[in-house]
Amino acid sequence: LSWNEALLPAVFPPVRLEINDSDSHPSSSHQTLKGTSKWAVSLENLLEDPEGVKRFREFLKKEFSEENVLFWLACEEFKKTQGKKQMQEKAKEIYMTFLSSKASSQVNVEGQSRLNETILETPHPLMFQKLQDQIFNLMKYDSYSRFLKSDIFLNHKKSEEQEENSPEAQTAAKRASRIYNT
């Protein structure tokens, strides 16, 4: 061996291939976070996961503030709306449900009174963005931190951990480990 060949592994460690178990799940020790671990990183991660949204809504319902996440979700859907007519209909629905003084699920946002029905005639995808950001920040700095300490979150986390430590999960991990270490 030349000194270059001898130093090569030290300078450039071998590339670690990711081996999948029979269920096509990565068995690398650098798995991406999922479930409650991912939710605990950020509100954004929580809101990207349908199960996270479901649990967060459950929590907010108990706090009598579910309308916040419902408004945020409605705004996200609204941004994807195509066509002026559909956009007008959805904009009016959001306004009547969350922003009007007679709204059934009124959200508490600043500047709400400045957004009146005349804006609904010329809708655009980001027309609710400022209000959506206010609600996001309200959730992020208020209810989200309480959610992470709630029984709903902690019980879900505990059941996830029990699933991960189940004999079936350990068998899959051992099988993947055997494949990797051969």
Side-chain angles (χ1 to χ4, degrees):
L1 285 180
S2 72
W3 67 272
N4 285 345
E5 291 171 347
L7 285 176
L8 199 61
V11 177
F12 299 101
V15 175
R16 181 166 181 216
L17 296 175
E18 185 170 87
I19 305 295
N20 292 325
D21 64 23
S22 61
D23 299 326
S24 295
H25 293 96
S27 59
S28 146
S29 60
H30 301 291
Q31 283 187 12
T32 56
L33 295 176
K34 56 186 176 185
T36 54
S37 299
K38 192 172 182 180
W39 304 348
V41 171
S42 70
L43 179 57
E44 290 89 338
N45 286 352
L46 173 72
L47 294 172
E48 288 172 0
D49 183 344
E51 184 65 23
V53 170
K54 178 182 168 188
R55 301 297 174 165
F56 193 47
R57 281 185 62 186
E58 191 180 326
F59 169 75
L60 291 176
K61 208 178 276 187
K62 289 182 176 188
E63 290 214 331
F64 304 101
S65 60
E66 182 186 23
E67 67 279 357
N68 291 335
V69 74
L70 294 176
F71 173 72
W72 188 89
L73 292 167
C75 290
E76 285 298 293
E77 275 304 304
F78 178 75
K79 291 174 191 175
K80 300 173 192 167
T81 305
Q82 300 292 314
K84 185 178 178 181
K85 185 79 175 148
Q86 289 89 340
M87 205 174 266
Q88 283 176 324
E89 289 170 9
K90 282 195 176 188
K92 186 172 184 172
E93 185 182 325
I94 289 172
Y95 180 80
M96 298 308 286
T97 305
F98 301 105
L99 300 170
S100 153
S101 59
K102 300 172 191 156
S104 55
S105 299
Q106 192 177 39
V107 291
N108 184 14
V109 289
E110 293 175 31
Q112 182 174 321
S113 57
R114 284 182 272 143
L115 184 70
N116 59 38
E117 290 187 58
T118 57
I119 195 172
L120 302 177
E121 299 305 314
T122 55
H124 57 88
L126 301 176
M127 66 187 281
F128 297 115
Q129 189 64 54
K130 199 177 274 187
L131 301 175
Q132 185 186 16
D133 290 345
Q134 285 182 34
I135 291 300
F136 179 85
N137 286 326
L138 178 68
M139 292 188 299
K140 183 176 182 173
Y141 297 110
D142 185 38
S143 39
Y144 172 65
S145 55
R146 286 196 309 280
F147 170 71
L148 295 178
K149 298 172 190 163
S150 73
D151 287 343
I152 292 171
F153 175 80
L154 296 173
N155 290 338
H156 191 73
K157 183 179 180 183
K158 188 176 182 179
S159 68
E160 264 184 4
E161 289 167 353
Q162 287 172 343
E163 255 179 48
E164 287 174 11
N165 294 328
S166 71
E168 297 85 29
Q170 288 180 354
T171 302
K174 284 179 186 172
R175 191 171 55 245
S177 176
R178 278 197 306 274
I179 293 168
Y180 180 74
N181 291 325
T182 57

